mmCIF file of all heavy atoms in Angstrom:
data_model
loop_
_atom_site.group_PDB
_atom_site.id
_atom_site.type_symbol
_atom_site.label_atom_id
_atom_site.label_comp_id
_atom_site.label_asym_id
_atom_site.label_seq_id
_atom_site.Cartn_x
_atom_site.Cartn_y
_atom_site.Cartn_z
ATOM 1 N N GLY O 1 -118.308 -16.960 -185.018
ATOM 2 C CA GLY O 1 -117.167 -16.226 -184.456
ATOM 3 C C GLY O 1 -115.974 -16.154 -185.384
ATOM 4 O O GLY O 1 -114.861 -15.837 -184.953
ATOM 5 N N ILE O 2 -116.182 -16.459 -186.641
ATOM 6 C CA ILE O 2 -115.073 -16.452 -187.611
ATOM 7 C C ILE O 2 -115.596 -15.854 -188.922
ATOM 8 O O ILE O 2 -116.657 -16.252 -189.414
ATOM 9 C CB ILE O 2 -114.489 -17.870 -187.789
ATOM 10 C CG1 ILE O 2 -113.326 -17.878 -188.769
ATOM 11 C CG2 ILE O 2 -115.568 -18.858 -188.205
ATOM 12 C CD1 ILE O 2 -112.621 -19.211 -188.827
ATOM 13 N N CYS O 3 -114.853 -14.916 -189.468
ATOM 14 C CA CYS O 3 -115.345 -14.185 -190.638
ATOM 15 C C CYS O 3 -115.447 -15.071 -191.874
ATOM 16 O O CYS O 3 -116.311 -14.835 -192.729
ATOM 17 C CB CYS O 3 -114.440 -12.989 -190.931
ATOM 18 S SG CYS O 3 -112.692 -13.388 -191.160
ATOM 19 N N THR O 4 -114.620 -16.111 -191.977
ATOM 20 C CA THR O 4 -114.641 -16.940 -193.178
ATOM 21 C C THR O 4 -115.978 -17.639 -193.388
ATOM 22 O O THR O 4 -116.374 -17.905 -194.521
ATOM 23 C CB THR O 4 -113.528 -18.008 -193.122
ATOM 24 O OG1 THR O 4 -113.650 -18.766 -191.915
ATOM 25 C CG2 THR O 4 -112.152 -17.365 -193.181
ATOM 26 N N LEU O 5 -116.688 -17.937 -192.301
ATOM 27 C CA LEU O 5 -117.962 -18.639 -192.406
ATOM 28 C C LEU O 5 -119.170 -17.698 -192.290
ATOM 29 O O LEU O 5 -120.304 -18.167 -192.216
ATOM 30 C CB LEU O 5 -118.059 -19.731 -191.353
ATOM 31 C CG LEU O 5 -117.019 -20.854 -191.429
ATOM 32 C CD1 LEU O 5 -117.315 -21.946 -190.406
ATOM 33 C CD2 LEU O 5 -116.924 -21.453 -192.819
ATOM 34 N N ALA O 6 -118.934 -16.403 -192.286
ATOM 35 C CA ALA O 6 -120.014 -15.421 -192.228
ATOM 36 C C ALA O 6 -120.529 -15.118 -193.638
ATOM 37 O O ALA O 6 -119.829 -15.318 -194.630
ATOM 38 C CB ALA O 6 -119.536 -14.149 -191.566
ATOM 39 N N LYS O 7 -121.768 -14.611 -193.711
ATOM 40 C CA LYS O 7 -122.367 -14.307 -195.007
ATOM 41 C C LYS O 7 -121.645 -13.162 -195.697
ATOM 42 O O LYS O 7 -121.441 -13.181 -196.919
ATOM 43 C CB LYS O 7 -123.843 -13.964 -194.833
ATOM 44 C CG LYS O 7 -124.567 -13.685 -196.165
ATOM 45 C CD LYS O 7 -126.037 -13.439 -195.934
ATOM 46 C CE LYS O 7 -126.760 -13.180 -197.267
ATOM 47 N NZ LYS O 7 -128.220 -12.953 -197.067
ATOM 48 N N GLN O 8 -121.266 -12.163 -194.939
ATOM 49 C CA GLN O 8 -120.547 -11.019 -195.482
ATOM 50 C C GLN O 8 -119.260 -10.792 -194.717
ATOM 51 O O GLN O 8 -119.121 -11.248 -193.582
ATOM 52 C CB GLN O 8 -121.400 -9.749 -195.420
ATOM 53 C CG GLN O 8 -122.562 -9.733 -196.389
ATOM 54 C CD GLN O 8 -123.219 -8.364 -196.489
ATOM 55 O OE1 GLN O 8 -122.933 -7.459 -195.705
ATOM 56 N NE2 GLN O 8 -124.101 -8.204 -197.448
ATOM 57 N N CYS O 9 -118.323 -10.117 -195.332
ATOM 58 C CA CYS O 9 -117.114 -9.717 -194.643
ATOM 59 C C CYS O 9 -116.919 -8.223 -194.884
ATOM 60 O O CYS O 9 -117.857 -7.526 -195.260
ATOM 61 C CB CYS O 9 -115.912 -10.534 -195.083
ATOM 62 S SG CYS O 9 -115.538 -10.458 -196.850
ATOM 63 N N GLY O 10 -115.723 -7.732 -194.657
ATOM 64 C CA GLY O 10 -115.451 -6.316 -194.916
ATOM 65 C C GLY O 10 -115.444 -5.461 -193.678
ATOM 66 O O GLY O 10 -115.013 -4.315 -193.730
ATOM 67 N N HIS O 11 -115.903 -6.012 -192.539
ATOM 68 C CA HIS O 11 -115.891 -5.226 -191.298
ATOM 69 C C HIS O 11 -114.527 -5.304 -190.635
ATOM 70 O O HIS O 11 -114.242 -4.545 -189.714
ATOM 71 C CB HIS O 11 -116.946 -5.764 -190.316
ATOM 72 C CG HIS O 11 -116.522 -6.991 -189.602
ATOM 73 N ND1 HIS O 11 -116.361 -8.185 -190.252
ATOM 74 C CD2 HIS O 11 -116.167 -7.200 -188.314
ATOM 75 C CE1 HIS O 11 -115.935 -9.088 -189.383
ATOM 76 N NE2 HIS O 11 -115.817 -8.527 -188.198
ATOM 77 N N ALA O 12 -113.679 -6.249 -191.065
ATOM 78 C CA ALA O 12 -112.396 -6.497 -190.393
ATOM 79 C C ALA O 12 -111.256 -6.160 -191.335
ATOM 80 O O ALA O 12 -110.958 -6.897 -192.270
ATOM 81 C CB ALA O 12 -112.315 -7.954 -189.948
ATOM 82 N N GLY O 13 -110.609 -5.044 -191.084
ATOM 83 C CA GLY O 13 -109.487 -4.612 -191.920
ATOM 84 C C GLY O 13 -108.159 -4.828 -191.232
ATOM 85 O O GLY O 13 -108.062 -5.431 -190.162
ATOM 86 N N ALA O 14 -107.112 -4.334 -191.856
ATOM 87 C CA ALA O 14 -105.762 -4.418 -191.301
ATOM 88 C C ALA O 14 -105.098 -3.060 -191.452
ATOM 89 O O ALA O 14 -105.284 -2.376 -192.467
ATOM 90 C CB ALA O 14 -104.948 -5.480 -192.023
ATOM 91 N N ILE O 15 -104.338 -2.656 -190.424
ATOM 92 C CA ILE O 15 -103.605 -1.404 -190.492
ATOM 93 C C ILE O 15 -102.127 -1.690 -190.370
ATOM 94 O O ILE O 15 -101.682 -2.389 -189.451
ATOM 95 C CB ILE O 15 -104.070 -0.390 -189.428
ATOM 96 C CG1 ILE O 15 -103.383 0.954 -189.650
ATOM 97 C CG2 ILE O 15 -103.884 -0.900 -188.021
ATOM 98 C CD1 ILE O 15 -103.987 2.083 -188.839
ATOM 99 N N GLU O 16 -101.373 -1.210 -191.319
ATOM 100 C CA GLU O 16 -99.933 -1.390 -191.313
ATOM 101 C C GLU O 16 -99.249 -0.354 -190.412
ATOM 102 O O GLU O 16 -99.848 0.603 -189.934
ATOM 103 C CB GLU O 16 -99.390 -1.333 -192.739
ATOM 104 C CG GLU O 16 -99.235 -2.705 -193.400
ATOM 105 C CD GLU O 16 -98.060 -3.493 -192.823
ATOM 106 O OE1 GLU O 16 -97.338 -2.958 -191.945
ATOM 107 O OE2 GLU O 16 -97.846 -4.627 -193.279
ATOM 108 N N TRP O 17 -97.947 -0.555 -190.238
ATOM 109 C CA TRP O 17 -97.156 0.262 -189.317
ATOM 110 C C TRP O 17 -97.207 1.761 -189.593
ATOM 111 O O TRP O 17 -97.074 2.590 -188.703
ATOM 112 C CB TRP O 17 -95.699 -0.207 -189.375
ATOM 113 C CG TRP O 17 -95.112 -0.100 -190.776
ATOM 114 C CD1 TRP O 17 -95.248 -1.004 -191.779
ATOM 115 C CD2 TRP O 17 -94.350 0.982 -191.314
ATOM 116 N NE1 TRP O 17 -94.624 -0.564 -192.921
ATOM 117 C CE2 TRP O 17 -94.048 0.658 -192.655
ATOM 118 C CE3 TRP O 17 -93.883 2.182 -190.788
ATOM 119 C CZ2 TRP O 17 -93.313 1.484 -193.483
ATOM 120 C CZ3 TRP O 17 -93.142 3.017 -191.615
ATOM 121 C CH2 TRP O 17 -92.858 2.661 -192.937
ATOM 122 N N ASN O 18 -97.436 2.139 -190.879
ATOM 123 C CA ASN O 18 -97.420 3.547 -191.253
ATOM 124 C C ASN O 18 -98.804 4.176 -191.348
ATOM 125 O O ASN O 18 -98.952 5.311 -191.778
ATOM 126 C CB ASN O 18 -96.698 3.711 -192.598
ATOM 127 C CG ASN O 18 -97.449 3.052 -193.746
ATOM 128 O OD1 ASN O 18 -98.337 2.215 -193.505
ATOM 129 N ND2 ASN O 18 -97.120 3.392 -194.972
ATOM 130 N N GLY O 19 -99.823 3.402 -190.969
ATOM 131 C CA GLY O 19 -101.191 3.910 -191.037
ATOM 132 C C GLY O 19 -101.968 3.509 -192.277
ATOM 133 O O GLY O 19 -103.143 3.852 -192.418
ATOM 134 N N ASP O 20 -101.335 2.767 -193.185
ATOM 135 C CA ASP O 20 -102.050 2.248 -194.351
ATOM 136 C C ASP O 20 -103.094 1.236 -193.909
ATOM 137 O O ASP O 20 -102.825 0.354 -193.085
ATOM 138 C CB ASP O 20 -101.077 1.562 -195.323
ATOM 139 C CG ASP O 20 -100.307 2.525 -196.186
ATOM 140 O OD1 ASP O 20 -100.676 3.719 -196.248
ATOM 141 O OD2 ASP O 20 -99.305 2.100 -196.808
ATOM 142 N N VAL O 21 -104.293 1.348 -194.488
ATOM 143 C CA VAL O 21 -105.393 0.452 -194.154
ATOM 144 C C VAL O 21 -105.738 -0.401 -195.380
ATOM 145 O O VAL O 21 -105.849 0.126 -196.491
ATOM 146 C CB VAL O 21 -106.628 1.234 -193.682
ATOM 147 C CG1 VAL O 21 -107.798 0.297 -193.382
ATOM 148 C CG2 VAL O 21 -106.284 2.055 -192.445
ATOM 149 N N PHE O 22 -105.888 -1.699 -195.152
ATOM 150 C CA PHE O 22 -106.235 -2.644 -196.220
ATOM 151 C C PHE O 22 -107.557 -3.314 -195.906
ATOM 152 O O PHE O 22 -107.973 -3.398 -194.748
ATOM 153 C CB PHE O 22 -105.127 -3.692 -196.381
ATOM 154 C CG PHE O 22 -103.827 -3.133 -196.908
ATOM 155 C CD1 PHE O 22 -102.917 -2.552 -196.048
ATOM 156 C CD2 PHE O 22 -103.541 -3.156 -198.272
ATOM 157 C CE1 PHE O 22 -101.723 -2.024 -196.529
ATOM 158 C CE2 PHE O 22 -102.359 -2.637 -198.752
ATOM 159 C CZ PHE O 22 -101.443 -2.066 -197.885
ATOM 160 N N SER O 23 -108.193 -3.828 -196.939
ATOM 161 C CA SER O 23 -109.533 -4.414 -196.797
ATOM 162 C C SER O 23 -109.592 -5.567 -195.815
ATOM 163 O O SER O 23 -110.601 -5.801 -195.156
ATOM 164 C CB SER O 23 -110.038 -4.893 -198.163
ATOM 165 O OG SER O 23 -110.291 -3.790 -199.008
ATOM 166 N N CYS O 24 -108.505 -6.325 -195.716
ATOM 167 C CA CYS O 24 -108.477 -7.528 -194.859
ATOM 168 C C CYS O 24 -107.029 -7.937 -194.672
ATOM 169 O O CYS O 24 -106.163 -7.639 -195.513
ATOM 170 C CB CYS O 24 -109.273 -8.643 -195.537
ATOM 171 S SG CYS O 24 -109.120 -10.278 -194.765
ATOM 172 N N ASP O 25 -106.757 -8.637 -193.587
ATOM 173 C CA ASP O 25 -105.401 -9.119 -193.314
ATOM 174 C C ASP O 25 -104.896 -10.039 -194.420
ATOM 175 O O ASP O 25 -103.701 -10.087 -194.701
ATOM 176 C CB ASP O 25 -105.406 -9.854 -191.963
ATOM 177 C CG ASP O 25 -104.054 -10.413 -191.597
ATOM 178 O OD1 ASP O 25 -103.077 -9.647 -191.659
ATOM 179 O OD2 ASP O 25 -103.961 -11.588 -191.223
ATOM 180 N N HIS O 26 -105.795 -10.773 -195.067
ATOM 181 C CA HIS O 26 -105.412 -11.675 -196.157
ATOM 182 C C HIS O 26 -105.507 -11.015 -197.535
ATOM 183 O O HIS O 26 -105.329 -11.669 -198.554
ATOM 184 C CB HIS O 26 -106.250 -12.948 -196.122
ATOM 185 C CG HIS O 26 -105.841 -13.888 -195.026
ATOM 186 N ND1 HIS O 26 -104.772 -14.740 -195.122
ATOM 187 C CD2 HIS O 26 -106.345 -14.079 -193.761
ATOM 188 C CE1 HIS O 26 -104.635 -15.436 -194.006
ATOM 189 N NE2 HIS O 26 -105.584 -15.056 -193.177
ATOM 190 N N PHE O 27 -105.786 -9.728 -197.541
ATOM 191 C CA PHE O 27 -105.845 -8.971 -198.792
ATOM 192 C C PHE O 27 -104.929 -7.765 -198.727
ATOM 193 O O PHE O 27 -105.274 -6.675 -199.203
ATOM 194 C CB PHE O 27 -107.281 -8.525 -199.074
ATOM 195 C CG PHE O 27 -108.167 -9.638 -199.590
ATOM 196 C CD1 PHE O 27 -108.720 -10.564 -198.725
ATOM 197 C CD2 PHE O 27 -108.430 -9.762 -200.955
ATOM 198 C CE1 PHE O 27 -109.519 -11.611 -199.194
ATOM 199 C CE2 PHE O 27 -109.233 -10.789 -201.439
ATOM 200 C CZ PHE O 27 -109.775 -11.711 -200.555
ATOM 201 N N VAL O 28 -103.767 -7.932 -198.110
ATOM 202 C CA VAL O 28 -102.789 -6.856 -198.063
ATOM 203 C C VAL O 28 -101.985 -6.912 -199.375
ATOM 204 O O VAL O 28 -100.854 -7.393 -199.458
ATOM 205 C CB VAL O 28 -101.876 -6.944 -196.829
ATOM 206 C CG1 VAL O 28 -100.846 -5.829 -196.825
ATOM 207 C CG2 VAL O 28 -102.739 -6.848 -195.558
ATOM 208 N N PHE O 29 -102.652 -6.455 -200.419
ATOM 209 C CA PHE O 29 -102.094 -6.303 -201.755
ATOM 210 C C PHE O 29 -102.392 -4.878 -202.201
ATOM 211 O O PHE O 29 -103.356 -4.272 -201.725
ATOM 212 C CB PHE O 29 -102.735 -7.298 -202.728
ATOM 213 C CG PHE O 29 -102.478 -8.746 -202.416
ATOM 214 C CD1 PHE O 29 -103.405 -9.492 -201.683
ATOM 215 C CD2 PHE O 29 -101.333 -9.379 -202.872
ATOM 216 C CE1 PHE O 29 -103.184 -10.843 -201.394
ATOM 217 C CE2 PHE O 29 -101.094 -10.718 -202.597
ATOM 218 C CZ PHE O 29 -102.021 -11.443 -201.865
ATOM 219 N N PRO O 30 -101.583 -4.324 -203.112
ATOM 220 C CA PRO O 30 -101.808 -2.941 -203.547
ATOM 221 C C PRO O 30 -103.230 -2.655 -203.987
ATOM 222 O O PRO O 30 -103.774 -1.575 -203.728
ATOM 223 C CB PRO O 30 -100.809 -2.764 -204.689
ATOM 224 C CG PRO O 30 -99.712 -3.731 -204.375
ATOM 225 C CD PRO O 30 -100.394 -4.927 -203.751
ATOM 226 N N GLN O 31 -103.872 -3.621 -204.652
ATOM 227 C CA GLN O 31 -105.221 -3.395 -205.179
ATOM 228 C C GLN O 31 -106.289 -3.334 -204.095
ATOM 229 O O GLN O 31 -107.443 -2.969 -204.367
ATOM 230 C CB GLN O 31 -105.575 -4.434 -206.245
ATOM 231 C CG GLN O 31 -105.435 -5.868 -205.842
ATOM 232 C CD GLN O 31 -104.081 -6.474 -206.145
ATOM 233 O OE1 GLN O 31 -103.059 -5.905 -205.795
ATOM 234 N NE2 GLN O 31 -104.083 -7.647 -206.797
ATOM 235 N N TYR O 32 -105.935 -3.687 -202.852
ATOM 236 C CA TYR O 32 -106.905 -3.625 -201.749
ATOM 237 C C TYR O 32 -106.509 -2.582 -200.697
ATOM 238 O O TYR O 32 -106.975 -2.627 -199.563
ATOM 239 C CB TYR O 32 -107.064 -5.008 -201.107
ATOM 240 C CG TYR O 32 -107.590 -6.030 -202.074
ATOM 241 C CD1 TYR O 32 -106.727 -6.924 -202.725
ATOM 242 C CD2 TYR O 32 -108.940 -6.085 -202.384
ATOM 243 C CE1 TYR O 32 -107.212 -7.858 -203.631
ATOM 244 C CE2 TYR O 32 -109.435 -7.023 -203.285
ATOM 245 C CZ TYR O 32 -108.569 -7.894 -203.917
ATOM 246 O OH TYR O 32 -109.050 -8.817 -204.822
ATOM 247 N N HIS O 33 -105.650 -1.647 -201.084
ATOM 248 C CA HIS O 33 -105.250 -0.558 -200.194
ATOM 249 C C HIS O 33 -106.353 0.500 -200.198
ATOM 250 O O HIS O 33 -106.688 1.060 -201.233
ATOM 251 C CB HIS O 33 -103.924 0.047 -200.699
ATOM 252 C CG HIS O 33 -103.441 1.229 -199.904
ATOM 253 N ND1 HIS O 33 -103.116 2.429 -200.486
ATOM 254 C CD2 HIS O 33 -103.265 1.378 -198.583
ATOM 255 C CE1 HIS O 33 -102.740 3.276 -199.548
ATOM 256 N NE2 HIS O 33 -102.827 2.662 -198.372
ATOM 257 N N LEU O 34 -106.904 0.767 -199.000
ATOM 258 C CA LEU O 34 -108.021 1.702 -198.897
ATOM 259 C C LEU O 34 -107.604 3.138 -198.679
ATOM 260 O O LEU O 34 -108.347 4.079 -199.028
ATOM 261 C CB LEU O 34 -108.938 1.291 -197.727
ATOM 262 C CG LEU O 34 -109.608 -0.086 -197.832
ATOM 263 C CD1 LEU O 34 -110.337 -0.414 -196.528
ATOM 264 C CD2 LEU O 34 -110.550 -0.134 -199.019
ATOM 265 N N GLY O 35 -106.425 3.342 -198.103
ATOM 266 C CA GLY O 35 -105.971 4.693 -197.805
ATOM 267 C C GLY O 35 -105.133 4.679 -196.529
ATOM 268 O O GLY O 35 -104.681 3.626 -196.077
ATOM 269 N N ASN O 36 -104.959 5.850 -195.951
ATOM 270 C CA ASN O 36 -104.096 5.994 -194.773
ATOM 271 C C ASN O 36 -104.810 6.859 -193.740
ATOM 272 O O ASN O 36 -105.445 7.858 -194.088
ATOM 273 C CB ASN O 36 -102.752 6.623 -195.176
ATOM 274 C CG ASN O 36 -101.734 6.578 -194.045
ATOM 275 O OD1 ASN O 36 -101.839 7.300 -193.074
ATOM 276 N ND2 ASN O 36 -100.719 5.730 -194.216
ATOM 277 N N ILE O 37 -104.683 6.494 -192.470
ATOM 278 C CA ILE O 37 -105.393 7.216 -191.424
ATOM 279 C C ILE O 37 -104.861 8.638 -191.210
ATOM 280 O O ILE O 37 -105.502 9.433 -190.529
ATOM 281 C CB ILE O 37 -105.379 6.456 -190.079
ATOM 282 C CG1 ILE O 37 -103.947 6.274 -189.544
ATOM 283 C CG2 ILE O 37 -106.112 5.126 -190.223
ATOM 284 C CD1 ILE O 37 -103.904 5.734 -188.114
ATOM 285 N N HIS O 38 -103.715 8.942 -191.786
ATOM 286 C CA HIS O 38 -103.202 10.313 -191.702
ATOM 287 C C HIS O 38 -103.919 11.230 -192.703
ATOM 288 O O HIS O 38 -103.832 12.450 -192.569
ATOM 289 C CB HIS O 38 -101.698 10.343 -191.940
ATOM 290 C CG HIS O 38 -100.901 9.735 -190.813
ATOM 291 N ND1 HIS O 38 -100.615 10.399 -189.649
ATOM 292 C CD2 HIS O 38 -100.357 8.487 -190.685
ATOM 293 C CE1 HIS O 38 -99.914 9.609 -188.858
ATOM 294 N NE2 HIS O 38 -99.741 8.437 -189.457
ATOM 295 N N GLN O 39 -104.614 10.631 -193.656
ATOM 296 C CA GLN O 39 -105.381 11.413 -194.637
ATOM 297 C C GLN O 39 -106.889 11.265 -194.453
ATOM 298 O O GLN O 39 -107.654 12.193 -194.680
ATOM 299 C CB GLN O 39 -105.020 11.017 -196.071
ATOM 300 C CG GLN O 39 -103.685 11.561 -196.572
ATOM 301 C CD GLN O 39 -102.494 10.763 -196.079
ATOM 302 O OE1 GLN O 39 -102.476 9.537 -196.180
ATOM 303 N NE2 GLN O 39 -101.506 11.449 -195.528
ATOM 304 N N ASN O 40 -107.321 10.071 -194.065
ATOM 305 C CA ASN O 40 -108.758 9.801 -193.853
ATOM 306 C C ASN O 40 -108.920 8.992 -192.568
ATOM 307 O O ASN O 40 -108.027 8.223 -192.204
ATOM 308 C CB ASN O 40 -109.348 9.006 -195.017
ATOM 309 C CG ASN O 40 -109.269 9.738 -196.330
ATOM 310 O OD1 ASN O 40 -108.338 9.556 -197.109
ATOM 311 N ND2 ASN O 40 -110.262 10.590 -196.592
ATOM 312 N N THR O 41 -110.039 9.146 -191.897
ATOM 313 C CA THR O 41 -110.243 8.398 -190.665
ATOM 314 C C THR O 41 -110.535 6.941 -190.957
ATOM 315 O O THR O 41 -110.947 6.570 -192.062
ATOM 316 C CB THR O 41 -111.422 8.981 -189.849
ATOM 317 O OG1 THR O 41 -112.636 8.760 -190.571
ATOM 318 C CG2 THR O 41 -111.243 10.474 -189.592
ATOM 319 N N LEU O 42 -110.324 6.114 -189.940
ATOM 320 C CA LEU O 42 -110.660 4.695 -190.065
ATOM 321 C C LEU O 42 -112.123 4.512 -190.427
ATOM 322 O O LEU O 42 -112.470 3.654 -191.235
ATOM 323 C CB LEU O 42 -110.400 3.987 -188.724
ATOM 324 C CG LEU O 42 -109.039 3.338 -188.498
ATOM 325 C CD1 LEU O 42 -108.994 2.771 -187.085
ATOM 326 C CD2 LEU O 42 -108.761 2.246 -189.514
ATOM 327 N N LEU O 43 -112.968 5.326 -189.828
ATOM 328 C CA LEU O 43 -114.393 5.225 -190.108
ATOM 329 C C LEU O 43 -114.684 5.506 -191.592
ATOM 330 O O LEU O 43 -115.441 4.764 -192.236
ATOM 331 C CB LEU O 43 -115.156 6.225 -189.240
ATOM 332 C CG LEU O 43 -116.662 6.009 -189.079
ATOM 333 C CD1 LEU O 43 -116.945 4.672 -188.378
ATOM 334 C CD2 LEU O 43 -117.272 7.150 -188.273
ATOM 335 N N GLU O 44 -114.051 6.530 -192.129
ATOM 336 C CA GLU O 44 -114.249 6.854 -193.539
ATOM 337 C C GLU O 44 -113.746 5.736 -194.446
ATOM 338 O O GLU O 44 -114.392 5.380 -195.438
ATOM 339 C CB GLU O 44 -113.515 8.166 -193.881
ATOM 340 C CG GLU O 44 -114.140 9.402 -193.254
ATOM 341 C CD GLU O 44 -113.278 10.633 -193.414
ATOM 342 O OE1 GLU O 44 -112.032 10.501 -193.552
ATOM 343 O OE2 GLU O 44 -113.832 11.745 -193.359
ATOM 344 N N LEU O 45 -112.596 5.168 -194.092
ATOM 345 C CA LEU O 45 -111.998 4.122 -194.943
ATOM 346 C C LEU O 45 -112.793 2.823 -194.870
ATOM 347 O O LEU O 45 -113.062 2.193 -195.898
ATOM 348 C CB LEU O 45 -110.553 3.889 -194.530
ATOM 349 C CG LEU O 45 -109.592 5.079 -194.728
ATOM 350 C CD1 LEU O 45 -108.240 4.776 -194.114
ATOM 351 C CD2 LEU O 45 -109.435 5.400 -196.202
ATOM 352 N N MET O 46 -113.164 2.403 -193.658
ATOM 353 C CA MET O 46 -113.821 1.103 -193.490
ATOM 354 C C MET O 46 -115.292 1.148 -193.896
ATOM 355 O O MET O 46 -115.890 0.096 -194.119
ATOM 356 C CB MET O 46 -113.669 0.631 -192.047
ATOM 357 C CG MET O 46 -112.244 0.256 -191.684
ATOM 358 S SD MET O 46 -111.588 -1.110 -192.686
ATOM 359 C CE MET O 46 -112.612 -2.468 -192.139
ATOM 360 N N TYR O 47 -115.870 2.340 -193.982
ATOM 361 C CA TYR O 47 -117.257 2.456 -194.458
ATOM 362 C C TYR O 47 -117.322 3.146 -195.824
ATOM 363 O O TYR O 47 -118.371 3.633 -196.226
ATOM 364 C CB TYR O 47 -118.111 3.201 -193.423
ATOM 365 C CG TYR O 47 -118.464 2.338 -192.240
ATOM 366 C CD1 TYR O 47 -117.659 2.332 -191.098
ATOM 367 C CD2 TYR O 47 -119.539 1.467 -192.269
ATOM 368 C CE1 TYR O 47 -117.950 1.512 -190.021
ATOM 369 C CE2 TYR O 47 -119.843 0.640 -191.205
ATOM 370 C CZ TYR O 47 -119.040 0.675 -190.077
ATOM 371 O OH TYR O 47 -119.326 -0.167 -189.001
#
């Protein structure tokens, strides 16, 4: 029930106030910015 002890991660992202989506809550750094839901859907970004 916790991602840290799972074999893989990447299914759990974070969305900021403006719609920016990042790879993970603990990877909210510019290099892990996936895009914005105003330009691409969450499905497109997370997959």
Side-chain angles (χ1 to χ4, degrees):
I2 181 172
C3 56
T4 55
L5 298 186
K7 183 177 181 179
Q8 289 191 350
C9 59
H11 79 292
I15 186 168
E16 265 286 359
W17 59 277
N18 65 344
D20 281 346
V21 178
F22 292 85
S23 292
C24 170
D25 180 50
H26 285 279
F27 284 79
V28 179
F29 296 95
Q31 53 269 50
Y32 298 99
H33 177 233
L34 298 174
N36 189 288
I37 62 170
H38 290 280
Q39 283 80 50
N40 299 94
T41 67
L42 268 177
L43 198 63
E44 290 170 335
L45 296 172
M46 291 299 293
Y47 284 93

